Amino acid sequence: MWPDAPLIYNLYPRSFNDTSGSGEGDLKGVIEKLDHVASLGVDAIWVGPFFISPLADGGYDIADHRTVDPRYGTLDDFDDLVREIHDRGMLVMIDQVFNHTSAEHAWFQASIDGDEEKADCYVWRDPKPDGTPPNNWISQFGMPAWTWNHRRQQYYHHQFLSCQPNLNLRNDLVKTMFRETMEFWLDRGVDGFRFDVVTAYLFDEDMPDNPPARPVVLSKVTGPNHNPYSYQDHVYDLLQGDGAAYTENMRKWAGKDIYLLGESNTGNQSVEVAQSFTREGRLDACYTTDPMQVGNDPIALMNILKALDGDWCTPWWFTSHDQPRHISRLGDGSDACARFYATLLAVLPGAAIMFQGEELALPQPTLAKAETTDPFDLLYWPDAPGREGPRVPMPWKSRKKNYGFTTGDPWLPMRWERDRCVDQQEGAEDSVLNYYRRAMAFRKEVRLNAPDKLRVDASTSAMSLRIARGGKDWMVVLNFSTTESLPVPTRSADTPVLQTGWDGRRLLPWGAAVWEGLDEEVGASCG
Ligand code: NOJ
C-alpha cells in the first residue's frame, strides 16, 4: 500500500553497481545494494530505464518495452529485484516511455514500410507543397521536430532526437500496446509507473504553427537562452486539456492502487498543468522542474506552495538524471548545503524524490567533451546543460578500484573525493549519509508532508513553515543564505527535533531546524 506523500528513491541502473565487470551497472548490482537504499527509509524505488535501447538518449529511446536489455541482465533478474525490494518493505516503480520509441523499434520500422496495422502508429504528415516540414514545431532538444523519410515521402514528428519518433497515442493499436505493456509489468509485481513526458502525449491534430513565446513564458528562462524551444509558446504541440484527460486511460488500465507519476515539462503554468493531470481518476502526482530551477529562492518556493494551496500533487526533488547535481547548481557543493536540501525534502508537503548519490553529497562532476555521451549536452557544447554529470556512477568503496562500482572500465570517468564514498560515510555519525537517514526517518515518523494545515512565510533568504499535523504543531525555519547566519530567538529550552547548522541561537548559513510547537513570532519573522 502506498503511503500519503511517498518518498521515492530514483536510481539509474547503468550507474548504480556493476556485478559483471562490463563497466555498466546491472540489475543484480542493484539487488546487491538494496540494503543501502532501504537504510534511507524510502517508501519506494523507481528503477530507471533498463529496457532494450540503442542508448542514443540514455535509455529513454526504447526498442522493446517488454524485456530487459542483456547489458543489465534478464527478466529473471528483474523478478528477483522486485522480490528483494518487496522483502525489504519497499515498493517498486519503473519507467513507461510511451511518448516515443527508438527508431530501431520494430513498430517504427513497420510503420515506415507502410505495414497496414502500424502505418498510423507514429505521427506522419505530408510536406508543405514546397517540400518543407508541415509546421514550425521545434523539438525539446532544440532542433526541428520533423524528419523526412524518403521511403514514405513524409515527415515524422519527434519531440526529442530524430531517432525518437513520437507515437500516435490516439491510435487504437498504440493504446492497446501501451495497456498490454503496463499489464505485462504489473503481472511481474510492479507497484507504480513513472510516465516519461506525459504532458507531451497529445497535440492539436490540425497542427498550426506555435506562436512566439509570450513574455510570461520567456520569463521562466533563467540564464542565457540557448535552446530555441523556449522561443515558442507550446500551445499546439503540448495539448494540455485532452492530454490530461488521456491519463484517465492509464488509471483505468492500472487500477486504483498503482501509483502513477507523470513527468511534466511544460516550462510554464506548471502548477496548473500538474493539477489538471492529477485530478480524480488521473495520476497520483506529476512533477515539474520548478523546484530544481528555483530551489534556492525561498520566495519562489513559497509561491509554488501557495499556488498548490493544499493540493500537494507535485513531488519535490532537486537532482535527477537530467539535472546537474543540486548542491553544485543551487549551492556551494558543501555538506551543509546537502543537509539543508535533505531537510527540505523531509518537510515539504507532498511526495519527494531523491536521486541516487545525493545522500552522499555528490557534487556535479566535470566531464570533458570526449568523455560525454549525452546528446543534449553535446548539442550545446561547451555550454552543456550538464545532464550527464549526475549519471557518473556511485562511489561505494573508497579503497577499491573504481570505488567498488565495477572491476572493468566505468562507462563514465569517476573522480570522486574519497570522503564522498558510502564506506567512509557509513560509520561517521555526522556524515551527510547519516543525516539523510535521520531526516528521512523523521519524515516517515512525523509525516509533516501530509499537513492538516500549513502556513508559509518567506523573505529573500529565509523561509518558515508552520505546520499542523496529527493534533500537534510544528515549526520549520530554513536559512537559505550562503553567508549570513539567521538569529532565531526561540525559548532557550527549545531543542529542535531535527536540525542542521543550529548553534542554539542562530541558524548558520544553510542551517535548517524543525521544532515541535509553534512560536508565532519566529514564524512571522521570516516574512
Ligand atoms: C525525459 C527523460 O527524463 C530524459 O532523460 C529524456 O531525454 C526525455 N524525457 C526524452 O525521453
Side-chain angles (χ1 to χ4, degrees):
M1 265 301 268
W2 285 85
D4 273 355
L7 173 64
I8 300 166
Y9 186 90
N10 176 210
L11 62 83
Y12 192 67
R14 196 179 181 198
S15 303
F16 203 61
N17 183 37
D18 173 23
T19 55
S20 71
S22 67
E24 296 179 292
D26 45 48
L27 297 185
K28 282 198 165 88
V30 177
I31 295 175
E32 220 174 69
K33 299 295 184 189
L34 283 179
D35 289 337
H36 168 78
V37 184
S39 78
L40 294 162
V42 305
D43 299 301
I45 300 182
W46 155 16
V47 185
F50 52 80
F51 315 96
I52 298 224
S53 162
L55 291 179
D57 181 19
Y60 285 93
D61 47 322
I62 297 177
D64 183 343
H65 290 71
R66 294 187 209 161
T67 191
V68 173
D69 194 314
R71 65 182 358 115
Y72 305 120
T74 62
L75 274 172
D76 286 343
D77 293 341
F78 182 78
D79 294 340
D80 290 345
L81 176 61
V82 170
R83 204 187 42 254
E84 297 275 352
I85 293 177
H86 286 162
D87 283 354
R88 288 167 177 79
M90 298 178 286
L91 299 156
V92 185
M93 187 165 174
I94 63 168
D95 280 285
Q96 291 289 277
V97 185
F98 263 87
N99 179 66
H100 49 266
T101 67
S102 160
E104 290 184 19
H105 202 295
W107 303 340
F108 186 61
Q109 293 306 319
S111 192
I112 291 179
D113 291 339
D115 171 282
E116 213 181 303
E117 262 200 317
K118 308 271 174 18
D120 199 23
C121 287
Y122 291 81
V123 184
W124 295 98
R125 288 292 186 277
D126 289 332
K128 284 188 180 159
D130 64 359
T132 54
N135 63 22
N136 72 348
W137 293 358
I138 294 176
S139 90
Q140 299 200 21
F141 286 155
M143 64 284 268
W146 295 98
T147 294
W148 176 249
N149 183 273
H150 70 278
R151 298 197 26 222
R152 272 193 62 143
Q153 295 180 31
Q154 282 189 311
Y155 282 95
Y156 63 88
H157 180 230
H158 49 91
Q159 294 259 3
F160 295 91
L161 301 172
S162 59
C163 63
Q164 290 171 293
N166 260 55
L167 281 163
N168 173 11
L169 282 144
R170 291 188 176 94
N171 178 279
D172 284 339
L173 182 60
V174 172
K175 280 190 185 164
T176 305
M177 294 190 292
F178 193 168
R179 175 176 54 75
E180 288 177 352
T181 301
M182 285 172 63
E183 286 166 359
F184 175 88
W185 293 109
L186 289 173
D187 287 346
R188 302 196 98 89
V190 158
D191 307 289
F193 295 112
R194 175 264 186 191
F195 298 103
D196 194 62
V197 289
V198 72
T199 46
Y201 281 8
L202 297 192
F203 49 85
D204 186 318
E205 290 192 285
D206 291 338
M207 298 202 155
D209 279 358
N210 279 326
R214 287 166 293 143
V216 61
V217 180
L218 276 175
S219 70
K220 284 264 183 175
V221 178
T222 46
N225 203 354
H226 290 307
N227 187 343
Y229 185 76
S230 52
Y231 288 78
Q232 288 187 358
D233 203 352
H234 294 278
V235 281
Y236 297 121
D237 57 346
L238 305 177
L239 204 59
Q240 301 309 341
D242 293 356
Y246 191 91
T247 61
E248 288 165 18
N249 292 311
M250 284 114 80
R251 172 58 68 203
K252 241 183 286 148
W253 301 333
K256 65 175 179 18
D257 296 334
I258 300 299
Y259 193 80
L260 303 183
L261 171 68
E263 178 199 23
S264 152
N265 51 356
T266 50
N268 58 329
Q269 301 168 333
S270 50
V271 166
E272 298 92 303
V273 169
Q275 284 174 336
S276 69
F277 275 73
T278 53
R279 268 198 231 135
E280 189 63 28
R282 299 183 179 175
L283 308 179
D284 291 282
C286 197
Y287 66 79
T288 79
T289 52
D290 286 7
M292 302 208 212
Q293 313 300 345
V294 302
N296 55 358
D297 176 348
I299 293 183
L301 283 178
M302 173 181 74
N303 290 339
I304 299 178
L305 289 165
K306 287 194 169 161
L308 287 166
D309 191 23
D311 179 7
W312 311 121
C313 60
T314 63
W316 299 95
W317 65 338
F318 298 105
T319 287
S320 75
H321 63 277
D322 287 334
Q323 296 282 337
R325 294 231 170 235
H326 65 272
I327 61 167
S328 307
R329 186 168 39 85
L330 299 173
D332 55 5
S334 64
D335 283 6
C337 174
R339 288 193 194 92
F340 176 86
Y341 281 101
T343 317
L344 262 180
L345 285 188
V347 300
L348 287 173
I353 308 171
M354 296 177 56
F355 183 67
Q356 68 176 53
E358 74 174 72
E359 71 275 23
L360 306 174
L362 295 186
Q364 175 75 354
T366 306
L367 295 171
K369 186 175 186 190
E371 295 166 338
T372 300
T373 67
D374 180 60
F376 197 42
D377 280 353
L378 289 172
L379 203 61
Y380 291 95
W381 205 270
D383 304 306
R387 295 205 322 171
E388 195 126 89
R391 303 177 191 179
V392 171
M394 284 281 281
W396 297 102
K397 297 197 170 124
S398 51
R399 303 206 183 283
K400 278 266 175 79
K401 184 182 169 201
N402 302 320
Y403 308 85
F405 164 70
T406 179
T407 53
D409 292 328
W411 74 279
L412 286 174
M414 301 174 69
R415 294 183 277 259
W416 300 118
E417 299 286 340
R418 300 275 155 201
D419 64 358
R420 305 282 156 154
C421 297
V422 174
D423 64 348
Q424 293 277 320
Q425 296 199 31
E426 196 60 64
E429 185 52 26
D430 65 345
S431 66
V432 169
L433 174 59
N434 281 317
Y435 184 77
Y436 260 88
R437 287 175 176 151
R438 286 196 294 278
M440 299 313 152
F442 171 80
R443 185 183 192 279
K444 199 166 199 153
E445 191 192 320
V446 182
R447 292 269 177 216
L448 295 186
N449 321 85
D452 302 323
K453 242 168 66 197
L454 169 74
R455 172 167 176 157
V456 46
D457 289 278
S459 67
T460 50
S461 60
M463 184 160 91
S464 74
L465 306 173
R466 282 173 270 177
I467 301 171
R469 161 80 195 164
K472 288 187 181 164
D473 292 321
W474 305 83
M475 186 178 69
V476 182
V477 184
L478 299 130
N479 181 13
F480 286 73
S481 171
T482 53
T483 51
E484 303 291 320
S485 293
L486 177 74
V488 183
T490 56
R491 293 175 298 269
S492 55
D494 288 351
T495 308
V497 283
L498 177 71
Q499 62 84 14
T500 171
W502 170 246
D503 75 356
R505 284 178 307 118
R506 298 168 311 164
L507 284 170
L508 306 177
W510 294 120
V514 185
W515 287 268
E516 196 176 326
L518 278 188
D519 187 327
E520 292 298 340
E521 209 181 311
V522 173
S525 71
C526 293

